[in-house]
Amino acid sequence: MTAPAPALRRFGDNLRAAPRRLRDSLFRSGRPVSDRTRASFVFGNVFLHLHPARVHRWSLRPTFTLGLGVMTLSTFLVALVTGILLMVYYKPSTALAYDSIKDLHFVVPTGRFIRNIHRWAANLMVVGVLLHMARAFYTGAYRAPRELNWVVGMLLLAITLGLSFTGYLLPWDQLAYWAVTIGANIAQSPREVTDALGITAWLDAGGLQKELLLGSDTVGEEALIRFYLLHVMVLPLALCTLLAVHFWRVRKDGGLVRPADAEARLGPAPQGTWPVFTEAPQKTYSLAALVKGKTAAVGRGPEGTVPAMPHLLLAESAALMLSVLLCVLLSVLADAPLKELANPAVPENPAKAPWYFLGLQELVAHSAFMGGIGIPTVVLVGLGLIPFLDRESEGTGLWFGGPGGGRLVALSAVYGLLAVVGIEAFAIHYGWIREWWPKAPQLLITLVNPGTVLTAAYAAWSVWLVRRHDSTRAGALGLFTCFAVGFLVLTVIGVHFRGPNWDFYWWPSQWPGH
Amino acid sequence: MSKAAPAEAVERSRLDPEPIPRRDFLGLAATWSALATLAFAALGMLRLPKAAVLPSPSKKFRVSLPESLAPGEPFLAPGRPVVLVRDGLGVYAVSRVCTHLGCIVQPSPAGFDCPCHGSRFAPDGAVLKGPAPKPLQWLAVSSLGAGSYVVDEGAAVPPGTRVKA
């Protein structure tokens, strides 16, 4: 037997080396064992390079972020994957939609499980985005230079709610039909004001909004197609775009917020933490951009930081796994609802939206325009303005940081609770202007109803706090806490205490039969 | 050109040139025309989703009132959110679409109840309670004779308008 020709031998060697070379071309810098290779592992990978190469220990404390941002992203990814799977069978037509969801629920292999996961992921995403917002607020993360990211976050909250709303139309069941009828009429509710002023004939903003949303004057095929388009294409694209901006800004604004004395508060790193810039032969900085604020590490040494690979990536993976686990567990425990086929002649009684809109439903039960458009706009604009009004720096990066701190938040929670319970109890017990004075002008009720009175009470409390503590941050803490408590209480009232005809009942077991 | 102008031109550096207003004008004109074009294009794109023809079913329908219908008793038109009433003065039709957020109100002993947000209406459509901003609409009715009527859901008439039975 003769020795193989050199070309053939080279071919054999190359074939044997192929797996190693594939790995080397995937991870060019080799195994992440030193500070340098750990860093290049992150910035040399298109999927990871939004991460910093090193991350401050303050940002990694679970009690600081609670992992909420990553968990919200994870639930979105879960909803994205399961949503694509559901699109395999779903048919966006009024004649077929309900049956296709029924098929998914009862016939398609794993269809019910996937639909449950999609529904629970969407619910958890709403919870996650709300809690993440509260975390960012209470740790002062909206402050300069992070003002824009706070506003982007609020847009993401609005898109998340839009995704939920457009999603529950698609099964074309009773919940879907009446939720969309109500939603479209909320879009039309500026007419409540234009009618009262007698200018609807010239300026019908409400009618235009409804027509653009439904493509018709009633909820039907056109509305279903439009909501489907929004749900599977327009809103996810908008969400992904803004997510990219959101994450990019986190990096450019200097990472997560932390107090100026974070390193002193943390103390020395525990023994066994991956070493800090000891193995790299020399320290070189190459700044791609100058970052505003006091957070750039240049000249201060990176003592408080650890390599993002593996510390940050492990923490993120843990949050991802926890989210997936929650989605799957909840999906095993509770099925996604599917009501009767949509019936345009008979609304459900009570016709309740999903839980996250029941606070709004309670507000629109006082005034359609104020509850559905006026107050939400005031709240969103108010929250969006907070970073531009609060230019203080005391307590940045600390839970409930700022003048008064935790005590102020607790007091505000008590005030917010008393105000919302008091006003709701009054309206439930004594009724409102229309019952005392049936001929009352509608404009009066639009302006003065339990929702607007509550908003005014919260605003007054916030202004008083600004004066009392001589601090905008104190007012912001009070306002946000009041809104959070108000949202929570109104949601509980809507979920538990409202029965047929939106009447008040202590227990659902007291509902009259119908 | 005056004699002072060249002296000033010498003092200016290359990085701080003499302002040339006509160039500013051209630049601003170009910027604003570009913005106006984009805004106009966006409005034009919004024109597409605003349908020219609304694909909803006909608003007019025909209904026969039973002979046995007692005066003042509400008659629910089958398949339509409309109630018809015959009383001593004639026949009238009231829409059952709540003026609040468009749910279908259900008849009750006192008039109509809305299941969605708790509005209550009198039998003639007047608001008694709740968030509804306006009374229920009265609709145009015309008589075909022999107890048959045509109701137009798209045509509101002033409350109290009746057609002879």
Side-chain angles (χ1 to χ4, degrees):
Chain A
M1 191 164 171
T2 57
L8 272 183
R9 198 170 60 231
R10 278 202 307 278
F11 176 82
D13 291 346
N14 287 344
L15 194 62
R16 273 193 301 278
R20 177 173 57 79
R21 286 182 177 148
L22 178 67
R23 199 187 60 218
D24 288 350
S25 63
L26 274 175
F27 303 101
R28 287 187 169 169
S29 51
R31 297 175 62 80
V33 288
S34 70
D35 273 327
R36 175 188 275 175
T37 48
R38 283 200 188 99
S40 59
F41 183 83
V42 170
F43 61 65
N45 182 313
V46 68
F47 300 106
L48 300 180
H49 83 284
L50 259 176
H51 294 86
R54 303 182 65 81
V55 59
H56 201 280
R57 281 192 293 138
W58 188 269
S59 308
L60 287 172
R61 293 185 317 152
T63 53
F64 180 65
T65 62
L66 309 174
L68 289 166
V70 178
M71 286 180 72
T72 309
L73 171 70
S74 309
T75 50
F76 171 63
L77 294 178
V78 170
L80 196 71
V81 172
T82 50
I84 291 171
L85 286 172
L86 293 176
M87 282 174 74
V88 172
Y89 286 100
Y90 177 72
K91 299 173 189 72
S93 120
T94 50
L96 304 171
Y98 187 73
D99 286 345
S100 66
I101 296 284
K102 254 185 147 173
D103 279 351
L104 271 164
H105 201 87
F106 294 108
V107 181
V108 173
T110 74
R112 184 188 311 198
F113 190 47
I114 295 292
R115 177 164 177 260
N116 289 350
I117 295 178
H118 190 70
R119 182 258 192 161
W120 277 114
N123 271 268
L124 288 175
M125 189 177 163
V126 174
V127 178
V129 85
L130 290 174
L131 291 180
H132 177 60
M133 185 180 188
R135 195 285 294 170
F137 179 82
Y138 283 121
T139 54
Y142 58 80
R143 284 175 165 166
R146 298 180 176 79
E147 305 101 318
L148 183 80
N149 230 9
W150 172 256
V151 176
V152 172
M154 290 193 5
L155 292 177
L156 287 169
L157 166 68
I159 294 177
T160 304
L161 291 177
L163 275 168
S164 302
F165 181 68
T166 51
Y168 65 72
L169 169 68
L170 303 182
W172 206 249
D173 61 352
Q174 277 286 70
L175 170 71
Y177 185 88
W178 291 103
V180 172
T181 301
I182 290 170
N185 281 298
I186 287 177
Q188 189 187 244
S189 68
R191 272 194 188 171
E192 188 180 314
V193 177
T194 53
D195 277 350
L197 297 173
I199 56 169
T200 304
W202 297 285
L203 179 75
D204 185 14
L208 181 67
Q209 288 194 90
K210 181 180 177 179
E211 212 181 296
L212 282 179
L213 204 58
L214 296 187
S216 173
D217 51 354
T218 51
V219 178
E221 188 68 61
E222 302 294 322
L224 181 54
I225 285 287
R226 280 172 196 223
F227 276 66
Y228 180 68
L229 178 67
L230 285 172
H231 187 73
V232 305
M233 174 71 76
V234 178
L235 293 177
L237 276 181
L239 189 87
C240 287
T241 311
L242 284 179
L243 272 183
V245 175
H246 200 61
F247 299 152
W248 186 78
R249 283 301 291 232
V250 171
R251 283 290 307 283
K252 294 297 160 183
D253 293 341
L256 299 193
V257 70
R258 62 175 177 272
D261 57 348
E263 279 153 42
R265 283 170 184 275
L266 283 171
Q271 287 295 314
T273 305
W274 268 277
V276 181
F277 271 105
T278 50
E279 295 159 25
Q282 65 205 126
K283 211 152 71 165
T284 48
Y285 291 108
S286 118
L287 287 183
L290 286 175
V291 179
K292 278 188 188 170
K294 303 168 184 165
T295 42
V298 178
R300 289 198 291 122
E303 282 73 20
T305 61
V306 289
M309 165 71 206
H311 292 280
L312 180 58
L313 297 181
L314 281 180
E316 288 179 344
S317 309
L320 170 75
M321 295 312 288
L322 186 60
S323 313
V324 173
L325 179 73
L326 270 177
C327 290
V328 170
L329 266 185
L330 288 166
S331 305
V332 172
L333 291 176
D335 279 351
L338 183 63
K339 309 243 169 143
E340 298 79 17
L341 179 63
N343 179 354
V346 185
E348 285 197 302
N349 195 1
K352 287 196 181 188
W355 63 269
Y356 37 85
F357 284 131
L358 283 181
L360 268 186
Q361 193 166 347
E362 181 64 27
L363 285 180
V364 299
H366 299 309
S367 158
F369 174 71
M370 274 303 167
I373 295 182
I375 295 172
T377 307
V378 167
V379 171
L380 284 182
V381 170
L383 290 177
L385 276 177
I386 282 179
F388 302 98
L389 300 178
D390 169 17
R391 309 302 291 180
E392 295 157 28
S393 58
E394 187 199 338
T396 297
L398 298 173
W399 273 99
F400 310 115
R407 191 167 162 275
L408 184 146
V409 170
L411 263 182
S412 301
V414 171
Y415 173 85
L417 186 71
L418 290 179
V420 64
V421 171
I423 290 170
E424 279 287 317
F426 176 87
I428 286 167
H429 195 263
Y430 295 105
W432 203 255
I433 298 173
R434 181 70 70 202
E435 286 148 274
W436 314 326
W437 180 23
K439 300 267 179 249
Q442 179 57 34
L443 214 50
L444 175 70
I445 297 174
T446 302
L447 286 175
V448 183
N449 63 65
T452 56
V453 171
L454 186 64
T455 312
Y458 287 167
W461 170 257
S462 165
V463 171
W464 183 79
L465 282 177
V466 172
R467 291 190 51 177
R468 162 97 172 64
H469 291 272
D470 191 25
S471 153
T472 317
R473 169 70 171 168
L477 275 174
L479 193 65
F480 189 90
T481 309
C482 281
F483 280 148
V485 170
F487 172 79
L488 207 65
V489 170
L490 289 176
T491 305
V492 168
I493 292 177
V495 170
H496 182 78
F497 292 105
R498 292 298 188 175
N501 296 341
W502 209 244
D503 285 332
F504 178 86
Y505 293 93
W506 285 108
W507 295 102
S509 58
Q510 297 166 330
W511 292 6
H514 54 91
Chain B
M1 201 175 261
S2 68
K3 286 183 179 173
E8 194 191 350
V10 172
E11 282 168 29
R12 287 184 170 279
S13 82
R14 193 169 50 83
L15 296 174
D16 180 23
E18 187 183 1
I20 303 174
R22 64 179 186 282
R23 290 193 184 165
D24 290 353
F25 170 77
L26 288 177
L28 283 173
T31 309
W32 282 106
S33 6
L35 289 178
T37 311
L38 286 177
F40 199 70
L43 277 179
M45 282 194 281
L46 271 183
R47 189 66 193 81
L48 183 142
K50 189 179 180 309
V53 179
L54 300 186
S56 51
S58 169
K59 300 277 180 195
K60 284 189 181 177
F61 66 96
R62 187 174 160 168
V63 61
S64 293
L65 293 185
E67 289 293 327
S68 58
L69 190 69
E73 187 190 338
F75 176 76
L76 302 184
R80 297 278 183 164
V82 172
V83 64
L84 287 107
V85 179
R86 178 160 55 199
D87 61 13
L89 298 169
V91 172
Y92 61 91
V94 178
S95 166
R96 284 167 60 213
V97 177
C98 183
T99 53
H100 178 229
L101 290 176
C103 291
I104 308 301
V105 300
Q106 305 295 327
S108 75
F112 302 97
D113 290 345
C114 181
C116 292
H117 304 98
S119 290
R120 296 238 159 92
F121 300 89
D124 69 348
V127 186
L128 299 177
K129 173 180 182 279
K134 288 186 293 186
L136 295 177
Q137 274 190 337
W138 285 47
L139 302 173
V141 186
S142 51
S143 173
L144 297 176
S148 279
Y149 299 88
V150 171
V151 181
D152 187 352
E153 282 186 72
V157 294
T161 310
R162 289 172 171 82
V163 64
K164 283 282 172 229

